[in-house]
């Protein structure tokens, strides 16, 4: 079951500049950065209420965010729903015809298991589903 909006991810060409914007200009709490090798991203998290802003930047200049930034100057990249049972949610959505970017969830930031729904299945929006590793 989907239980919340875990985060909204923004692709940024200059991670440090964007961190300073969200921290200093918008006054949000900065929770630090994390490199996610599996997704080839450097990420930075800012909790806001019950959700978070996740800044995503290419790790070592490669990966899907690098490709995204070749086409756009930056922008809202995906949103992420939190699930309390990712296998059940994926199975339910697959049965309804949703296409996913991978067969199985993989390990994402914060040791969450994550999977992405193809944007063509959801009005052009890239949707991530995650499940924190402390829930199963
Ligand atoms: Co994400």
């Amino acid at each position: 079951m989907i239980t919340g909006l875990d985060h909204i991810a923004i692709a940024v060409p200059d991670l440090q500049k964007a961190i300073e914007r969200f921290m200093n200009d918008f006054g949000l709490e900065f929770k630090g950065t994390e490199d996610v090798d599996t997704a080839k991203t450097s990420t930075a998290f800012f909790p806001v209420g019950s959700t978070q802003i996740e800044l995503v930047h290419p790790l070592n200049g490669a990966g899907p965010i690098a490709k995204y930034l070749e086409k756009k100057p930056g922008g809202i990249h995906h949103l992420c729903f939190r699930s309390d049972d990712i296998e059940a949610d994926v199975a339910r959505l697959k049965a309804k015809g949703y296409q996913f970017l991978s067969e199985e969830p993989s390990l994402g930031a914060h040791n969450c298991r994550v999977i992405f729904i193809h944007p063509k299945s959801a009005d052009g929006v890239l949707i991530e589903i995650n499940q924190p590793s402390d829930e199963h």
Side-chain angles (χ1 to χ4, degrees):
M1 190 175 76
I2 286 166
T3 58
L5 180 64
D6 188 83
H7 60 266
I8 295 170
I10 301 173
V12 298
D14 183 334
L15 185 59
Q16 199 53 45
K17 190 175 164 189
I19 287 171
E20 281 162 20
R21 180 193 336 280
F22 280 84
M23 192 166 52
N24 299 331
D25 300 347
F26 298 154
L28 301 186
E29 180 193 358
F30 173 43
K31 277 288 195 174
T33 58
E34 181 180 350
D35 289 346
V36 185
D37 287 325
T38 50
K40 295 195 173 73
T41 55
S42 290
T43 63
F45 283 92
F46 299 85
V48 194
S50 62
T51 188
Q52 309 177 81
I53 301 294
E54 176 190 26
L55 304 180
V56 289
H57 182 77
L59 181 62
N60 304 322
I65 303 301
K67 286 211 180 78
Y68 180 91
L69 291 173
E70 281 168 16
K71 291 178 231 150
K72 295 179 185 177
I76 292 183
H77 184 261
H78 65 268
L79 60 83
C80 177
F81 289 129
R82 190 182 311 126
S83 167
D84 60 4
D85 187 344
I86 195 166
E87 270 83 20
D89 282 323
V90 169
R92 182 169 55 81
L93 292 167
K94 276 186 178 171
K96 288 178 180 288
Y98 283 80
Q99 291 185 37
F100 287 78
L101 297 189
S102 62
E103 277 305 307
E104 300 285 328
S106 61
L107 216 52
H110 301 146
N111 269 333
C112 285
R113 287 187 302 146
V114 307
I115 194 165
F116 288 87
I117 296 172
H118 197 291
K120 72 186 176 193
S121 291
D123 296 311
V125 179
L126 179 60
I127 296 179
E128 179 183 12
I129 299 173
N130 78 2
Q131 181 175 13
S133 51
D134 55 337
E135 296 172 30
H136 50 85

